[in-house]
Amino acid sequence: MRIKEHPILKFKKGRKVEFYFEGKKMTGYEGESVAAALLANGVKVFRLSKRLNRPRGFFCAIGRCASCNMLIDGQPNTRACITPLREGMDVRKQEGRGRIER
Amino acid sequence: MKEEVVVIGGGPGGMCAAIEAARCGASVTLIEDKPVLGGQLVKQTHMFFGSKDEFAGVRGIDIAKILADEVERQGVKVLTSTTATGIFDGNIVGVTTEERYSRIVAERIIVATGAYENPLGFINRDLPGVYGAGGVQTLMNVEGVLPGERFVMVGAGNIGLIVSYQLIQAGAEVVCVVEALERIGGYEVHAAKLRRLGVPILLRHTVVAALGKESVEGAVIAQLDEKGRVIDDSKFGVTCDAICIAVGLSPLVELLVQAGCKMMYVSELGGYVAWHDENQRTSVENIYVAGDSSGIEEASTAMLAGRIAGICAALSLKKERRGYDAEEALKNYRERLSFLRAGPFGEKARRGKESFGIQFSLPLLPSERTSSKKKRHLTAKPFHKGPVAVIECNERIPCNPCVDSCRFGAIRIEGNMNEVPLLEPLLCRGCGECVIACPGLAIFLVDKGFSESEAEIGVPYEMADVPKVGDKVMVTSSEGDVLCEGRVTRVRDSKKKRRIVFFGVPKRYADKARGFLLPSLAKSGRFVKMAVDKEGGKEDFLLCICEDVWRSQVEALIDAGYHSFDELKRILRCGMGACQGKTCQRLILNILSRKLGVSMSSLRPHKARSPVRPTPLEVFASCEEVPQNTGGSKRESH
């Protein structure tokens, strides 16, 4: 959910861009984190855990906890909370440890 | 690359260290892993407490800009989006960017890497929708996105209280704040802000489970007995889509461990910290530490410790600059730091630092947080003569912006700035400047002679939905009671993004009415207690999120005789995932300490190895330069 009005802050956003989550077209703002764009689109499950396939999502926002590791543009274990969104990005849930695409 | 002083971490402590070292004439490089300087200041929309020297009354986001500008003015070389991933023999700092690895040979290193949020163990703690409170604060205040609509906050320390308030400012609902201890850890003024918005703070309560399949749909809350055990039949469920964890911070010390600094477990400082002296120097020559990585405190103390580390590092290099008396500045910073720690809220930090052998010479304040001074108004109240300020700040917090805000000299603090402020009503003109200036939103205007039947109350207001003159509002007290209906009489704007909203109430409420609710804000604090399934599901939860390790697995191994974190790690892989133990180590050490009946300080944390952040191997392959052997001390290899 995007904050509509705020008593203290004004949010400067980049241009509106389209990206893909699990192949589905979504919109976000260039330069914001992939995690922010996904959460603004109502996506909460970012990956399935390594051994037990339990759903995982955003947690620490500063690239420390690895809870939000995703498959982004073919690169597994990419931290969605500190990866800036770019036009046309291919964002996918990571399953397990992730595999490098050849 | 060679450098005189390398500062790791661009938060308040690191920036101040860099500024001071450069001011003394040293050549300084500041390394920050985010794209911008500021550390946690960039999300702190509230006004800071403390003294004017440490930017009290200024919002954290603005302090970040002031310090970053000063860093630039002092000619500090700044490397953002750059992570220090290791400290090696010979004072070598390994740094990585997205593509490249390189090494900096530093004459002095100042580590100011901050802290990370403590984990809390409960059923489904790994479910999407369970978030770190600091993480949520970053997302909402930096990116403008809320990761949920209805939040339960766990922890009534300052972070839990402040983030709860800021969630409401951002348009979210806060169901309640639960706190396992029997008292609020944070400042009472922050708690009062929430209560006036109708949010209850449930003491001796905690979250025992998150409910939901794919993401959080509710929370199970339980009461705790005096020993901290869950009272079984006290459990109830509430509906929410997010649970925020604010149960304290741990110093981020992995680089210091790697560098071979002597580490100590000091609970008052938040966990494992590097021993350091009053100059912020660690046991390893040439390595200094500042900010939360040297013990969890406030940003204001981080700034001063950073300044001290910066000066001492530069002085040890025999740096001097004409026109800057570094010794004098050092003396001044030390004194300011002692003042900030002299009150009851500084007691923990003081005790922690004393365990390093650091002396505190200042006369200390009484250790009771709340001042017993009942008579806050120095003379009889001439309330019939228009509005008069009423200060409801009863705790000994190091803070004094109210004193400076009053042009008429009506507010004073006697002695140490940790003491509570006093008002001279005869001098007060009711101008409201103190209401705008108080970081705790704890000063109000009261006009008891407003009309025949009504008193007029002016309250500080920082919400987006501003009422209009004539609007009816539900009036609340600082204890959280809804008192009566009030009518808005005027709204005063200010340059500090804070308004004063005035409303009329029946005279009998003049000493109680301190806040109000609008329909748009009235959903917070309202919840229905749902019955929870007594049988419940599995009582187990994951201790290690990265490698999916259950608590039951860890407990079974401990029972089988594996009594150290490293042994558990080798068998179960807990702590070997990408977070490198940040989400499990504290919980596992707690279980070890409880099961074995030994103190936390006798347990060894796991080893910290380079790289301290996950780094693709190709980045290391990019390193071309060969480091020169500077003949650094040979240390025992780990």
Side-chain angles (χ1 to χ4, degrees):
Chain A
M1 188 171 80
R2 291 201 187 273
I3 297 170
K4 287 171 211 84
E5 49 173 352
H6 198 283
I8 314 290
L9 297 165
K10 281 200 174 65
F11 301 104
K12 286 184 213 114
K13 287 288 177 186
R15 69 187 174 105
K16 215 172 201 171
V17 292
E18 285 178 343
F19 69 101
Y20 298 88
F21 173 66
E22 297 286 299
K24 201 178 136 203
K25 198 183 271 182
M26 290 184 172
T27 55
Y29 294 95
E30 191 171 54
E32 70 180 349
S33 70
V34 171
L38 288 174
L39 287 163
N41 280 279
V43 176
K44 289 194 171 176
V45 181
F46 289 9
R47 72 168 170 118
L48 299 176
S49 71
K50 279 182 186 171
R51 288 199 307 117
L52 303 168
N53 286 324
R54 290 168 69 90
R56 295 283 161 75
F58 170 83
F59 187 82
C60 81
I62 48 173
R64 300 254 161 95
C65 76
S67 176
C68 68
N69 279 4
M70 299 186 83
L71 181 65
I72 299 181
D73 285 339
Q75 186 80 31
N77 297 312
T78 305
R79 290 169 287 179
C81 70
I82 54 166
T83 301
L85 186 73
R86 283 189 289 267
E87 172 124 59
M89 225 170 204
D90 178 26
V91 181
R92 289 178 186 275
K93 280 188 210 167
Q94 178 166 325
E95 294 182 18
R97 286 174 199 281
R99 223 173 277 130
I100 294 175
E101 317 254 307
R102 283 173 203 282
Chain B
M1 182 185 141
K2 283 187 176 182
E3 183 58 288
E4 289 180 339
V5 177
V6 169
V7 182
I8 303 170
M15 285 195 286
C16 286
I19 289 166
E20 289 298 332
R23 195 177 271 164
C24 293
S27 164
V28 184
T29 294
L30 176 59
I31 299 170
E32 165 59 43
D33 66 352
K34 311 289 175 316
V36 290
L37 289 180
Q40 303 309 305
L41 292 174
V42 301
K43 63 184 185 181
Q44 291 176 348
T45 52
H46 53 282
M47 291 180 194
F48 271 45
F49 289 63
S51 82
K52 201 170 61 177
D53 292 330
E54 268 62 63
F55 309 108
V58 183
R59 296 181 194 275
I61 43 176
D62 299 322
I63 300 175
K65 286 186 207 117
I66 295 169
L67 291 178
D69 287 348
E70 185 64 24
V71 164
E72 199 189 319
R73 253 200 312 279
Q74 292 297 338
V76 173
K77 210 173 301 152
V78 178
L79 306 177
T80 47
S81 300
T82 303
T83 308
T85 46
I87 295 180
F88 308 102
D89 264 9
N91 268 6
I92 295 166
V93 184
V95 296
T96 58
T97 62
E98 209 177 320
E99 290 102 25
R100 267 188 67 82
Y101 177 72
S102 54
R103 298 177 175 107
I104 306 173
V105 182
E107 289 184 49
R108 298 290 181 272
I109 300 169
I110 301 172
V111 177
T113 43
Y116 62 95
E117 301 195 80
N118 287 341
L120 184 68
F122 55 85
I123 297 164
N124 288 332
R125 66 176 281 234
D126 57 324
L127 197 63
V130 177
Y131 306 123
V136 168
Q137 196 186 20
T138 303
L139 191 78
M140 71 175 170
N141 289 348
V142 177
E143 309 231 45
V145 172
L146 282 167
E149 292 175 14
R150 204 169 147 76
F151 290 73
V152 166
M153 179 65 65
V154 187
N158 275 336
I159 294 181
L161 298 173
I162 288 172
V163 174
S164 295
Y165 187 78
Q166 292 178 357
L167 277 165
I168 297 172
Q169 285 182 307
E173 295 164 24
V174 176
V175 179
C176 60
V177 179
V178 295
E179 167 58 56
L181 300 178
E182 61 192 337
R183 72 167 177 186
I184 291 165
Y187 298 158
E188 173 57 32
V189 289
H190 286 312
K193 269 159 50 179
L194 279 177
R195 290 200 206 98
R196 293 196 292 268
L197 289 169
V199 179
I201 299 167
L202 309 177
L203 298 177
R204 275 211 180 125
H205 278 74
T206 192
V207 164
V208 291
L211 302 171
K213 271 200 135 42
E214 286 278 291
S215 66
V216 170
E217 292 162 25
V220 179
I221 295 171
Q223 203 179 338
L224 302 171
D225 66 16
E226 67 283 352
K227 286 195 172 144
R229 292 168 306 203
V230 170
I231 301 173
D232 258 332
D233 52 9
S234 71
K235 288 181 191 168
F236 62 92
V238 295
T239 314
C240 63
D241 62 357
I243 299 170
C244 270
I245 311 300
V247 294
L249 302 172
S250 292
L252 191 59
V253 294
E254 46 207 344
L255 290 172
L256 295 156
V257 173
Q258 239 180 58
C261 298
K262 179 186 167 192
M263 304 299 295
M264 285 168 71
Y265 183 90
V266 185
S267 63
E268 289 92 345
L269 298 177
Y272 291 94
V273 278
W275 174 92
H276 62 82
D277 64 13
E278 73 276 10
N279 296 336
Q280 302 293 126
R281 202 179 72 164
T282 69
S283 63
V284 175
E285 219 188 337
N286 307 332
I287 297 184
Y288 294 72
V289 64
D292 274 356
S293 60
S294 68
I296 306 300
E297 280 185 271
E298 300 290 326
S300 49
T301 48
M303 287 186 248
L304 285 167
R307 291 185 192 281
I308 290 168
I311 292 186
C312 291
L315 288 181
S316 73
L317 288 169
K318 307 266 181 282
K319 290 286 165 190
E320 52 184 299
R321 182 184 270 182
R322 276 184 64 183
Y324 187 57
D325 188 343
E327 294 286 355
E328 187 57 34
L330 187 60
K331 209 176 118 208
N332 177 263
Y333 295 145
R334 277 196 217 287
E335 191 179 290
R336 273 152 59 178
L337 185 57
S338 309
F339 267 110
L340 287 178
R341 287 172 177 160
F345 282 94
E347 193 182 335
K348 262 168 78 179
R350 222 164 47 226
R351 276 211 312 267
K353 301 285 178 180
E354 275 166 357
S355 72
F356 294 160
I358 296 173
Q359 307 278 320
F360 289 84
S361 52
L362 262 180
L364 300 178
L365 270 79
S367 60
E368 287 80 31
R369 288 188 179 183
T370 309
S371 168
S372 55
K373 221 168 232 155
K374 283 278 176 285
K375 212 176 152 220
R376 304 291 299 284
H377 284 243
L378 298 170
T379 49
K381 307 170 190 175
F383 272 120
H384 53 283
K385 285 183 179 163
V388 171
V390 172
I391 304 175
E392 296 197 348
C393 163
N394 300 316
E395 285 183 324
R396 296 188 172 96
I397 300 169
C399 188
N400 61 13
C402 56
V403 176
D404 291 324
S405 75
C406 185
R407 282 174 293 156
F408 310 104
I411 302 176
R412 66 172 198 251
I413 292 176
E414 290 173 349
N416 191 303
M417 73 158 146
N418 287 273
E419 268 302 353
V420 295
L422 305 171
L423 183 88
E424 175 50 83
L426 288 173
L427 296 175
C428 176
R429 309 275 181 94
C431 70
E433 285 306 313
C434 53
V435 179
I436 299 293
C438 172
L441 282 81
I443 307 184
F444 309 86
L445 291 175
V446 176
D447 182 358
K448 287 187 177 172
F450 181 62
S451 76
E452 204 58 8
S453 60
E454 281 193 325
E456 189 192 51
I457 314 289
V459 302
Y461 191 69
E462 289 194 358
M463 294 289 158
D465 186 10
V466 183
K468 284 181 210 61
V469 173
D471 281 0
K472 297 258 166 66
V473 291
M474 291 309 295
V475 175
T476 56
S477 74
S478 289
E479 288 76 39
D481 303 316
V482 176
L483 301 173
C484 59
E485 198 176 70
R487 189 179 43 84
V488 175
T489 49
R490 54 195 167 117
V491 177
R492 200 189 118 183
D493 286 343
S494 82
K495 284 184 187 137
K496 295 186 84 177
K497 293 175 183 160
R498 180 185 290 177
R499 293 178 169 87
I500 306 177
V501 175
F502 295 83
F503 52 85
V505 290
K507 268 192 177 152
R508 65 180 182 280
Y509 294 120
D511 291 332
K512 280 271 170 202
R514 296 295 178 258
F516 61 87
L517 286 174
L518 298 178
S520 63
L521 298 170
K523 279 183 186 160
S524 280
R526 298 242 176 112
F527 59 89
V528 181
K529 287 187 181 182
M530 299 181 302
V532 286
D533 192 0
K534 278 275 177 328
E535 295 304 304
K538 214 166 155 188
E539 283 286 302
D540 213 356
F541 58 83
L542 289 175
L543 277 179
C544 171
I545 305 284
C546 299
E547 298 290 332
D548 285 346
V549 181
W550 297 99
R551 178 177 67 172
S552 57
Q553 291 176 280
V554 170
E555 288 185 333
L557 271 193
I558 297 172
D559 291 341
Y562 298 91
H563 290 174
S564 77
F565 188 91
D566 275 332
E567 284 174 310
L568 297 168
K569 170 175 153 181
R570 278 175 202 130
I571 296 165
L572 295 172
R573 288 190 60 80
C574 49
M576 289 183 77
C579 86
Q580 302 182 332
K582 290 182 197 69
T583 34
C584 69
Q585 172 165 276
R586 198 180 179 96
L587 296 174
I588 292 175
L589 290 175
N590 268 327
I591 293 175
L592 267 172
S593 147
R594 204 173 54 233
K595 268 189 167 288
L596 304 178
V598 297
S599 69
M600 288 286 279
S601 55
S602 66
L603 296 167
R604 278 172 63 103
H606 75 146
K607 284 163 191 162
R609 293 190 174 89
S610 170
V612 296
R613 279 313 150 265
T615 310
L617 277 176
E618 63 184 354
V619 171
F620 292 104
S622 73
C623 185
E624 284 159 11
E625 52 181 316
V626 178
Q628 284 183 308
N629 190 341
T630 53
S633 60
K634 282 272 174 290
R635 280 191 291 275
E636 217 182 310
S637 62
H638 295 283

